[in-house]
Amino acid sequence: MIKVVLIGAGNVAVHMAKAMLRSEHIELIQRFSRNDHNNEFFDSKIPKTNSIEELKQADLYLIAINDDSIEPFSEQLEFKQGLVAHTSGSMRLDALKCLASKGVCYPVQTFSKNETLDYGSIPFCLEAENVEDLELLKSFAGSISKNVYEINSNQRQKLHLAAVFSNNFSNHMFKIGQDICNENGFSFDILKPLLIETVEKLKTLTPFEAQTGPARRNDQKVIQQHIKELSGDQKEIYKIITHSIIKTYKSD
Amino acid sequence: MIKVVLIGAGNVAVHMAKAMLRSEHIELIQRFSRNDHNNEFFDSKIPKTNSIEELKQADLYLIAINDDSIEPFSEQLEFKQGLVAHTSGSMRLDALKCLASKGVCYPVQTFSKNETLDYGSIPFCLEAENVEDLELLKSFAGSISKNVYEINSNQRQKLHLAAVFSNNFSNHMFKIGQDICNENGFSFDILKPLLIETVEKLKTLTPFEAQTGPARRNDQKVIQQHIKELSGDQKEIYKIITHSIIKTYKSD
């Protein structure tokens, strides 16, 4: 059994706790949070502390707190045993300033508290300072998910950037789509089968191959009409993404 | 049985032919195409013509050709019986210049020839000049799909614009995500579960509620780091979408 102490009480921590409780090879022996935030989302059987001095001895201390807090928090960890790993996509391994061994265990997923997730397919991107620590992280992540990758700090930061485009920015495109629906009196539901298919396609096609629409065809009549209908941020976003798509397929 | 003549041989026509062949209430009596383009994607049992003079008498002439060709093609249709409907999201009903009744039957979906689609869930947005023609379109679309909407030309053009953002632009965000993966030596597969969840979330949350990431948190440290790492179009797209997301959540 891998004994784990979980640090944090945000969306990532909530889901990591759930994922750990389901695993037969992980024992979540304690969680740490300064306050009672999100208490209702955690199993009440998990022992909780709000004091760093009371942290139990564990194999793995999993830090799921916001990026800016990782460095100052880790500085307060004065023990030398065990492995301390953060879960951030954008922070380097050496953001950890503890005395114990350092690692990273980044789950590449978007976590909303009320969503049910298939933990078994979440990709975990791991980094450690030595082989033994990497093996521990592999055992830990591998007992939650079948998708485990070894990735260094430079790659992970790029991966996080790719995730921002693929997840956050595409979601904002959905948001603009919904705004246009609402402003014109019809339901965003009309677009949902299209959104599902947009992602479904990626099982067999690359995003490059899957592209369709006026920019893909460089259909200037439709494009100019759309630009005329838009204003503000929507217009600027339309123009620059259309320009980028046209450039992508220019050599066709 | 609704007798249909299908005009066109592109992606939309290929899939509309397949959808019609599966319906018990539709008889695809003929298809029209000037050339042999995509012949292999159509059932060879469908009678084909390349001459407007040879078009058979039908209840519905479904025009699935590119937007710019709809007006000049429809001008050549000199018969007065039946209903002529185009399938375009961006063209108005009055782009049709035929003598027969006019309508629109816009399937809100992205069509790639080699993809299998669940036709039963494709939203069809219908418009016609009178009640009888609308009823015919409802019978037609309703015998393919359970999602049938009545929408006028103004709304349809806005819907098409919303679809461009939600489908084409989100796909381009996936494309940029993939480019960043490739440039940094790891697989786009790592991001796929995240993309699936991005859309999966929309079953229970609005895109407004589903947003996460550095722009959502207005995490300027990460944002400035990302901007530093990017160049060209990617940088400009990152800046404007981040700006737009921050503005969206400013009142939080």
Side-chain angles (χ1 to χ4, degrees):
Chain A
M1 291 288 266
I2 304 170
K3 293 190 176 189
V4 182
V5 169
L6 175 66
I7 318 284
N11 293 352
V12 177
V14 164
H15 280 284
M16 286 307 297
K18 283 185 183 165
M20 284 191 260
L21 289 178
R22 284 175 196 203
S23 165
E24 290 173 3
H25 303 97
I26 298 170
E27 192 186 355
L28 180 51
I29 59 169
Q30 190 182 38
R31 69 181 189 91
F32 169 92
S33 176
R34 298 252 185 238
N35 51 45
D36 290 341
H37 183 59
N38 283 340
N39 263 4
E40 67 275 26
F41 291 100
F42 288 93
D43 192 312
S44 58
K45 288 199 272 317
I46 310 167
K48 190 195 161 212
T49 183
N50 58 11
S51 152
I52 288 179
E53 286 69 39
E54 286 175 8
L55 289 181
K56 289 187 188 168
Q57 197 161 330
D59 301 308
L60 176 64
Y61 297 83
L62 194 70
I63 301 188
I65 60 181
N66 71 59
D67 288 359
D68 289 346
S69 306
I70 291 172
E71 186 165 331
F73 178 84
S74 66
E75 275 175 354
Q76 303 170 61
L77 301 177
E78 293 178 346
F79 54 83
K80 289 182 179 168
Q81 50 71 31
L83 172 64
V84 175
H86 74 65
T87 54
S88 165
S90 54
M91 301 301 284
R92 302 184 63 83
L93 180 138
D94 55 20
L96 292 169
K97 303 296 179 193
C98 50
L99 303 177
S101 296
K102 294 151 196 152
V104 181
C105 179
Y106 168 44
V108 188
Q109 189 48 278
T110 169
F111 296 99
S112 297
K113 275 184 287 292
N114 292 308
E115 287 296 293
T116 315
L117 282 170
D118 172 18
Y119 300 116
S121 66
I122 295 178
F124 280 89
C125 293
L126 311 179
E127 183 182 4
E129 294 173 300
N130 60 58
V131 179
E132 294 82 53
D133 293 340
L134 189 64
E135 285 307 314
L136 175 64
L137 288 178
K138 279 184 183 169
S139 299
F140 170 77
S143 74
I144 294 173
S145 167
K146 58 185 186 300
N147 297 323
V148 175
Y149 300 86
E150 192 187 338
I151 261 187
N152 65 35
S153 285
N154 289 336
Q155 286 177 316
R156 193 177 53 259
Q157 286 184 309
K158 296 296 187 183
L159 177 61
H160 182 243
L161 183 55
V164 166
F165 276 96
S166 300
N167 165 233
N168 306 148
F169 288 3
S170 63
N171 184 72
H172 196 58
M173 298 302 103
F174 302 156
K175 163 73 170 62
I176 293 175
Q178 184 179 30
D179 288 345
I180 295 171
C181 292
N182 292 346
E183 286 156 17
N184 293 282
F186 48 87
S187 167
F188 182 57
D189 285 346
I190 301 179
L191 288 176
K192 285 190 183 169
L194 177 63
L195 306 190
I196 293 165
E197 177 61 16
T198 304
V199 172
E200 194 65 26
K201 266 187 179 181
L202 300 183
K203 289 181 183 166
T204 52
L205 302 174
T206 65
F208 178 86
E209 294 164 335
Q211 191 59 282
T212 58
R216 171 68 184 88
R217 298 189 302 271
N218 196 359
D219 184 338
Q220 283 298 330
K221 208 162 151 185
V222 173
I223 291 168
Q224 294 310 322
Q225 177 60 33
H226 281 167
I227 290 171
K228 222 186 288 174
E229 290 175 39
L230 292 165
S231 62
D233 282 357
Q234 289 181 0
K235 190 187 201 111
E236 292 313 307
I237 291 171
Y238 187 97
K239 278 158 71 172
I240 190 159
I241 299 182
T242 292
H243 167 80
S244 175
I245 295 173
I246 291 171
K247 248 170 68 175
T248 300
Y249 295 93
K250 211 165 189 178
S251 54
D252 260 26
Chain B
M1 291 290 267
I2 304 170
K3 293 190 176 191
V4 182
V5 169
L6 175 66
I7 318 284
N11 292 351
V12 177
V14 164
H15 280 284
M16 287 307 297
K18 283 185 185 167
M20 285 191 259
L21 290 178
R22 284 174 195 203
S23 164
E24 289 174 2
H25 303 98
I26 298 170
E27 192 186 356
L28 180 51
I29 60 170
Q30 190 182 38
R31 68 181 189 91
F32 169 92
S33 177
R34 298 252 184 240
N35 50 45
D36 291 339
H37 182 60
N38 283 340
N39 262 4
E40 67 275 26
F41 291 99
F42 289 93
D43 191 313
S44 58
K45 289 197 270 321
I46 310 166
K48 189 193 163 213
T49 183
N50 57 10
S51 152
I52 288 179
E53 287 68 40
E54 286 176 8
L55 288 180
K56 290 187 186 169
Q57 196 160 331
D59 302 307
L60 177 63
Y61 297 82
L62 194 69
I63 301 188
I65 60 181
N66 71 59
D67 288 358
D68 289 346
S69 306
I70 292 172
E71 187 165 329
F73 178 84
S74 66
E75 273 173 355
Q76 303 171 61
L77 301 177
E78 294 179 347
F79 54 84
K80 291 183 179 168
Q81 50 70 34
L83 172 63
V84 175
H86 73 65
T87 54
S88 166
S90 54
M91 300 302 284
R92 300 186 63 83
L93 181 138
D94 55 21
L96 291 169
K97 303 294 178 194
C98 51
L99 304 177
S101 297
K102 294 150 195 151
V104 181
C105 180
Y106 168 43
V108 188
Q109 191 47 279
T110 170
F111 296 99
S112 297
K113 275 184 287 290
N114 291 308
E115 286 296 293
T116 316
L117 282 171
D118 171 18
Y119 300 117
S121 67
I122 294 178
F124 279 90
C125 292
L126 311 178
E127 183 182 3
E129 294 174 301
N130 60 57
V131 178
E132 295 83 51
D133 293 339
L134 189 64
E135 285 307 315
L136 175 63
L137 288 178
K138 279 184 183 170
S139 299
F140 171 76
S143 75
I144 293 173
S145 167
K146 59 185 186 299
N147 297 324
V148 175
Y149 301 86
E150 192 188 339
I151 261 187
N152 65 35
S153 284
N154 288 336
Q155 287 179 315
R156 193 177 53 260
Q157 286 183 307
K158 296 295 187 183
L159 177 60
H160 182 244
L161 183 54
V164 167
F165 276 96
S166 299
N167 166 232
N168 306 149
F169 288 3
S170 63
N171 185 71
H172 196 58
M173 298 302 103
F174 301 156
K175 163 75 169 62
I176 293 176
Q178 184 178 31
D179 288 345
I180 295 172
C181 292
N182 293 346
E183 287 156 17
N184 292 281
F186 49 87
S187 166
F188 183 57
D189 285 346
I190 301 180
L191 288 175
K192 285 190 183 169
L194 178 63
L195 306 189
I196 293 165
E197 176 61 17
T198 304
V199 172
E200 194 65 26
K201 267 187 178 181
L202 300 183
K203 288 182 183 166
T204 52
L205 302 174
T206 65
F208 178 86
E209 295 164 332
Q211 192 58 282
T212 58
R216 171 68 183 90
R217 298 188 303 271
N218 196 0
D219 184 338
Q220 283 298 330
K221 207 162 149 185
V222 173
I223 292 167
Q224 294 311 323
Q225 176 61 33
H226 281 167
I227 291 171
K228 221 186 289 175
E229 290 174 39
L230 292 163
S231 61
D233 281 357
Q234 290 183 358
K235 190 188 200 110
E236 292 314 306
I237 290 172
Y238 187 98
K239 278 158 72 173
I240 191 161
I241 299 182
T242 292
H243 168 80
S244 175
I245 294 174
I246 291 171
K247 247 169 68 175
T248 301
Y249 295 94
K250 210 166 189 178
S251 54
D252 261 26

PDB file of all heavy atoms in Angstrom, chain B residues 66-87:
ATOM      1  N   ASN B  66     -21.953  23.837 -53.057  1.00  0.00           N
ATOM      2  CA  ASN B  66     -21.342  24.919 -52.289  1.00  0.00           C
ATOM      3  C   ASN B  66     -22.154  26.213 -52.402  1.00  0.00           C
ATOM      4  O   ASN B  66     -22.893  26.441 -53.354  1.00  0.00           O
ATOM      5  CB  ASN B  66     -19.844  25.088 -52.615  1.00  0.00           C
ATOM      6  CG  ASN B  66     -19.624  25.648 -53.989  1.00  0.00           C
ATOM      7  OD1 ASN B  66     -20.084  26.731 -54.303  1.00  0.00           O
ATOM      8  ND2 ASN B  66     -18.929  24.875 -54.819  1.00  0.00           N
ATOM      9  N   ASP B  67     -22.024  27.041 -51.364  1.00  0.00           N
ATOM     10  CA  ASP B  67     -22.882  28.210 -51.188  1.00  0.00           C
ATOM     11  C   ASP B  67     -22.984  29.081 -52.442  1.00  0.00           C
ATOM     12  O   ASP B  67     -24.080  29.477 -52.849  1.00  0.00           O
ATOM     13  CB  ASP B  67     -22.366  29.070 -50.023  1.00  0.00           C
ATOM     14  CG  ASP B  67     -22.629  28.401 -48.673  1.00  0.00           C
ATOM     15  OD1 ASP B  67     -23.242  27.312 -48.649  1.00  0.00           O
ATOM     16  OD2 ASP B  67     -22.224  28.982 -47.658  1.00  0.00           O
ATOM     17  N   ASP B  68     -21.824  29.367 -53.039  1.00  0.00           N
ATOM     18  CA  ASP B  68     -21.809  30.284 -54.171  1.00  0.00           C
ATOM     19  C   ASP B  68     -22.551  29.741 -55.390  1.00  0.00           C
ATOM     20  O   ASP B  68     -22.958  30.505 -56.275  1.00  0.00           O
ATOM     21  CB  ASP B  68     -20.360  30.601 -54.583  1.00  0.00           C
ATOM     22  CG  ASP B  68     -19.685  31.478 -53.541  1.00  0.00           C
ATOM     23  OD1 ASP B  68     -20.399  32.036 -52.682  1.00  0.00           O
ATOM     24  OD2 ASP B  68     -18.452  31.587 -53.585  1.00  0.00           O
ATOM     25  N   SER B  69     -22.701  28.438 -55.451  1.00  0.00           N
ATOM     26  CA  SER B  69     -23.347  27.838 -56.628  1.00  0.00           C
ATOM     27  C   SER B  69     -24.857  27.752 -56.499  1.00  0.00           C
ATOM     28  O   SER B  69     -25.544  27.473 -57.492  1.00  0.00           O
ATOM     29  CB  SER B  69     -22.793  26.416 -56.848  1.00  0.00           C
ATOM     30  OG  SER B  69     -21.395  26.435 -56.922  1.00  0.00           O
ATOM     31  N   ILE B  70     -25.384  27.982 -55.281  1.00  0.00           N
ATOM     32  CA  ILE B  70     -26.822  27.779 -55.061  1.00  0.00           C
ATOM     33  C   ILE B  70     -27.661  28.695 -55.943  1.00  0.00           C
ATOM     34  O   ILE B  70     -28.585  28.246 -56.635  1.00  0.00           O
ATOM     35  CB  ILE B  70     -27.171  27.978 -53.560  1.00  0.00           C
ATOM     36  CG1 ILE B  70     -26.560  26.842 -52.722  1.00  0.00           C
ATOM     37  CG2 ILE B  70     -28.688  28.035 -53.354  1.00  0.00           C
ATOM     38  CD1 ILE B  70     -26.683  27.027 -51.217  1.00  0.00           C
ATOM     39  N   GLU B  71     -27.323  29.979 -55.973  1.00  0.00           N
ATOM     40  CA  GLU B  71     -28.106  30.930 -56.766  1.00  0.00           C
ATOM     41  C   GLU B  71     -28.039  30.619 -58.272  1.00  0.00           C
ATOM     42  O   GLU B  71     -29.094  30.419 -58.894  1.00  0.00           O
ATOM     43  CB  GLU B  71     -27.659  32.368 -56.468  1.00  0.00           C
ATOM     44  CG  GLU B  71     -28.549  33.396 -57.128  1.00  0.00           C
ATOM     45  CD  GLU B  71     -28.360  34.804 -56.561  1.00  0.00           C
ATOM     46  OE1 GLU B  71     -28.034  34.944 -55.355  1.00  0.00           O
ATOM     47  OE2 GLU B  71     -28.559  35.763 -57.323  1.00  0.00           O
ATOM     48  N   PRO B  72     -26.824  30.551 -58.856  1.00  0.00           N
ATOM     49  CA  PRO B  72     -26.794  30.256 -60.306  1.00  0.00           C
ATOM     50  C   PRO B  72     -27.386  28.904 -60.666  1.00  0.00           C
ATOM     51  O   PRO B  72     -28.038  28.777 -61.711  1.00  0.00           O
ATOM     52  CB  PRO B  72     -25.289  30.311 -60.646  1.00  0.00           C
ATOM     53  CG  PRO B  72     -24.562  30.272 -59.340  1.00  0.00           C
ATOM     54  CD  PRO B  72     -25.492  30.837 -58.320  1.00  0.00           C
ATOM     55  N   PHE B  73     -27.213  27.890 -59.814  1.00  0.00           N
ATOM     56  CA  PHE B  73     -27.792  26.587 -60.136  1.00  0.00           C
ATOM     57  C   PHE B  73     -29.318  26.664 -60.111  1.00  0.00           C
ATOM     58  O   PHE B  73     -29.995  26.180 -61.028  1.00  0.00           O
ATOM     59  CB  PHE B  73     -27.302  25.506 -59.162  1.00  0.00           C
ATOM     60  CG  PHE B  73     -27.919  24.166 -59.435  1.00  0.00           C
ATOM     61  CD1 PHE B  73     -27.388  23.315 -60.399  1.00  0.00           C
ATOM     62  CD2 PHE B  73     -29.085  23.769 -58.765  1.00  0.00           C
ATOM     63  CE1 PHE B  73     -27.977  22.097 -60.677  1.00  0.00           C
ATOM     64  CE2 PHE B  73     -29.675  22.548 -59.046  1.00  0.00           C
ATOM     65  CZ  PHE B  73     -29.126  21.711 -60.002  1.00  0.00           C
ATOM     66  N   SER B  74     -29.851  27.289 -59.053  1.00  0.00           N
ATOM     67  CA  SER B  74     -31.310  27.295 -58.893  1.00  0.00           C
ATOM     68  C   SER B  74     -32.003  28.070 -60.011  1.00  0.00           C
ATOM     69  O   SER B  74     -33.152  27.790 -60.357  1.00  0.00           O
ATOM     70  CB  SER B  74     -31.697  27.858 -57.523  1.00  0.00           C
ATOM     71  OG  SER B  74     -31.347  29.230 -57.431  1.00  0.00           O
ATOM     72  N   GLU B  75     -31.296  29.033 -60.596  1.00  0.00           N
ATOM     73  CA  GLU B  75     -31.855  29.799 -61.718  1.00  0.00           C
ATOM     74  C   GLU B  75     -32.172  28.916 -62.922  1.00  0.00           C
ATOM     75  O   GLU B  75     -33.025  29.250 -63.751  1.00  0.00           O
ATOM     76  CB  GLU B  75     -30.850  30.879 -62.169  1.00  0.00           C
ATOM     77  CG  GLU B  75     -30.980  32.167 -61.383  1.00  0.00           C
ATOM     78  CD  GLU B  75     -29.874  33.170 -61.722  1.00  0.00           C
ATOM     79  OE1 GLU B  75     -28.960  32.806 -62.511  1.00  0.00           O
ATOM     80  OE2 GLU B  75     -29.924  34.288 -61.186  1.00  0.00           O
ATOM     81  N   GLN B  76     -31.472  27.800 -62.999  1.00  0.00           N
ATOM     82  CA  GLN B  76     -31.663  26.906 -64.139  1.00  0.00           C
ATOM     83  C   GLN B  76     -32.827  25.946 -63.961  1.00  0.00           C
ATOM     84  O   GLN B  76     -33.155  25.196 -64.879  1.00  0.00           O
ATOM     85  CB  GLN B  76     -30.390  26.088 -64.381  1.00  0.00           C
ATOM     86  CG  GLN B  76     -29.144  26.930 -64.612  1.00  0.00           C
ATOM     87  CD  GLN B  76     -27.897  26.060 -64.611  1.00  0.00           C
ATOM     88  OE1 GLN B  76     -27.764  25.172 -65.447  1.00  0.00           O
ATOM     89  NE2 GLN B  76     -27.021  26.305 -63.666  1.00  0.00           N
ATOM     90  N   LEU B  77     -33.425  25.926 -62.772  1.00  0.00           N
ATOM     91  CA  LEU B  77     -34.525  24.979 -62.508  1.00  0.00           C
ATOM     92  C   LEU B  77     -35.837  25.599 -62.966  1.00  0.00           C
ATOM     93  O   LEU B  77     -36.386  26.488 -62.319  1.00  0.00           O
ATOM     94  CB  LEU B  77     -34.578  24.642 -61.012  1.00  0.00           C
ATOM     95  CG  LEU B  77     -33.303  24.015 -60.433  1.00  0.00           C
ATOM     96  CD1 LEU B  77     -33.449  23.790 -58.931  1.00  0.00           C
ATOM     97  CD2 LEU B  77     -32.949  22.709 -61.150  1.00  0.00           C
ATOM     98  N   GLU B  78     -36.339  25.138 -64.102  1.00  0.00           N
ATOM     99  CA  GLU B  78     -37.494  25.798 -64.714  1.00  0.00           C
ATOM    100  C   GLU B  78     -38.831  25.153 -64.380  1.00  0.00           C
ATOM    101  O   GLU B  78     -39.874  25.643 -64.793  1.00  0.00           O
ATOM    102  CB  GLU B  78     -37.279  25.878 -66.231  1.00  0.00           C
ATOM    103  CG  GLU B  78     -36.111  26.804 -66.545  1.00  0.00           C
ATOM    104  CD  GLU B  78     -35.814  26.908 -68.036  1.00  0.00           C
ATOM    105  OE1 GLU B  78     -36.349  26.083 -68.805  1.00  0.00           O
ATOM    106  OE2 GLU B  78     -35.057  27.814 -68.404  1.00  0.00           O
ATOM    107  N   PHE B  79     -38.789  24.021 -63.653  1.00  0.00           N
ATOM    108  CA  PHE B  79     -40.054  23.375 -63.284  1.00  0.00           C
ATOM    109  C   PHE B  79     -40.717  24.139 -62.135  1.00  0.00           C
ATOM    110  O   PHE B  79     -40.065  24.894 -61.418  1.00  0.00           O
ATOM    111  CB  PHE B  79     -39.825  21.908 -62.897  1.00  0.00           C
ATOM    112  CG  PHE B  79     -38.789  21.710 -61.833  1.00  0.00           C
ATOM    113  CD1 PHE B  79     -39.122  21.836 -60.489  1.00  0.00           C
ATOM    114  CD2 PHE B  79     -37.463  21.390 -62.160  1.00  0.00           C
ATOM    115  CE1 PHE B  79     -38.175  21.657 -59.492  1.00  0.00           C
ATOM    116  CE2 PHE B  79     -36.506  21.212 -61.166  1.00  0.00           C
ATOM    117  CZ  PHE B  79     -36.863  21.351 -59.837  1.00  0.00           C
ATOM    118  N   LYS B  80     -42.054  23.930 -62.006  1.00  0.00           N
ATOM    119  CA  LYS B  80     -42.798  24.648 -60.963  1.00  0.00           C
ATOM    120  C   LYS B  80     -43.303  23.743 -59.858  1.00  0.00           C
ATOM    121  O   LYS B  80     -43.726  24.202 -58.798  1.00  0.00           O
ATOM    122  CB  LYS B  80     -43.985  25.385 -61.593  1.00  0.00           C
ATOM    123  CG  LYS B  80     -43.555  26.553 -62.465  1.00  0.00           C
ATOM    124  CD  LYS B  80     -44.735  27.311 -63.023  1.00  0.00           C
ATOM    125  CE  LYS B  80     -44.278  28.491 -63.871  1.00  0.00           C
ATOM    126  NZ  LYS B  80     -45.356  29.079 -64.662  1.00  0.00           N
ATOM    127  N   GLN B  81     -43.318  22.436 -60.112  1.00  0.00           N
ATOM    128  CA  GLN B  81     -43.828  21.502 -59.087  1.00  0.00           C
ATOM    129  C   GLN B  81     -42.727  21.164 -58.083  1.00  0.00           C
ATOM    130  O   GLN B  81     -41.545  21.336 -58.351  1.00  0.00           O
ATOM    131  CB  GLN B  81     -44.391  20.230 -59.744  1.00  0.00           C
ATOM    132  CG  GLN B  81     -43.502  19.527 -60.766  1.00  0.00           C
ATOM    133  CD  GLN B  81     -42.280  18.845 -60.183  1.00  0.00           C
ATOM    134  OE1 GLN B  81     -42.332  18.342 -59.083  1.00  0.00           O
ATOM    135  NE2 GLN B  81     -41.192  18.840 -60.950  1.00  0.00           N
ATOM    136  N   GLY B  82     -43.157  20.698 -56.926  1.00  0.00           N
ATOM    137  CA  GLY B  82     -42.201  20.233 -55.906  1.00  0.00           C
ATOM    138  C   GLY B  82     -41.615  21.371 -55.098  1.00  0.00           C
ATOM    139  O   GLY B  82     -41.873  22.556 -55.362  1.00  0.00           O
ATOM    140  N   LEU B  83     -40.827  20.980 -54.110  1.00  0.00           N
ATOM    141  CA  LEU B  83     -40.180  21.954 -53.223  1.00  0.00           C
ATOM    142  C   LEU B  83     -38.672  21.855 -53.430  1.00  0.00           C
ATOM    143  O   LEU B  83     -38.094  20.765 -53.395  1.00  0.00           O
ATOM    144  CB  LEU B  83     -40.542  21.617 -51.766  1.00  0.00           C
ATOM    145  CG  LEU B  83     -39.838  22.390 -50.659  1.00  0.00           C
ATOM    146  CD1 LEU B  83     -40.164  23.881 -50.730  1.00  0.00           C
ATOM    147  CD2 LEU B  83     -40.241  21.835 -49.291  1.00  0.00           C
ATOM    148  N   VAL B  84     -38.050  23.014 -53.648  1.00  0.00           N
ATOM    149  CA  VAL B  84     -36.594  23.064 -53.788  1.00  0.00           C
ATOM    150  C   VAL B  84     -36.014  23.614 -52.484  1.00  0.00           C
ATOM    151  O   VAL B  84     -36.362  24.723 -52.071  1.00  0.00           O
ATOM    152  CB  VAL B  84     -36.178  23.966 -54.977  1.00  0.00           C
ATOM    153  CG1 VAL B  84     -34.654  24.100 -55.044  1.00  0.00           C
ATOM    154  CG2 VAL B  84     -36.730  23.409 -56.289  1.00  0.00           C
ATOM    155  N   ALA B  85     -35.159  22.836 -51.818  1.00  0.00           N
ATOM    156  CA  ALA B  85     -34.590  23.298 -50.542  1.00  0.00           C
ATOM    157  C   ALA B  85     -33.075  23.174 -50.557  1.00  0.00           C
ATOM    158  O   ALA B  85     -32.530  22.168 -51.021  1.00  0.00           O
ATOM    159  CB  ALA B  85     -35.159  22.487 -49.379  1.00  0.00           C
ATOM    160  N   HIS B  86     -32.407  24.239 -50.106  1.00  0.00           N
ATOM    161  CA  HIS B  86     -30.953  24.108 -49.957  1.00  0.00           C
ATOM    162  C   HIS B  86     -30.607  23.702 -48.526  1.00  0.00           C
ATOM    163  O   HIS B  86     -31.462  23.739 -47.635  1.00  0.00           O
ATOM    164  CB  HIS B  86     -30.222  25.376 -50.428  1.00  0.00           C
ATOM    165  CG  HIS B  86     -30.321  26.576 -49.524  1.00  0.00           C
ATOM    166  ND1 HIS B  86     -29.779  26.595 -48.259  1.00  0.00           N
ATOM    167  CD2 HIS B  86     -30.870  27.814 -49.697  1.00  0.00           C
ATOM    168  CE1 HIS B  86     -29.988  27.791 -47.712  1.00  0.00           C
ATOM    169  NE2 HIS B  86     -30.670  28.552 -48.559  1.00  0.00           N
ATOM    170  N   THR B  87     -29.335  23.313 -48.324  1.00  0.00           N
ATOM    171  CA  THR B  87     -28.899  22.757 -47.030  1.00  0.00           C
ATOM    172  C   THR B  87     -27.855  23.639 -46.350  1.00  0.00           C
ATOM    173  O   THR B  87     -27.157  23.207 -45.443  1.00  0.00           O
ATOM    174  CB  THR B  87     -28.276  21.353 -47.254  1.00  0.00           C
ATOM    175  OG1 THR B  87     -27.243  21.480 -48.239  1.00  0.00           O
ATOM    176  CG2 THR B  87     -29.306  20.344 -47.712  1.00  0.00           C
TER     177      THR B  87
END
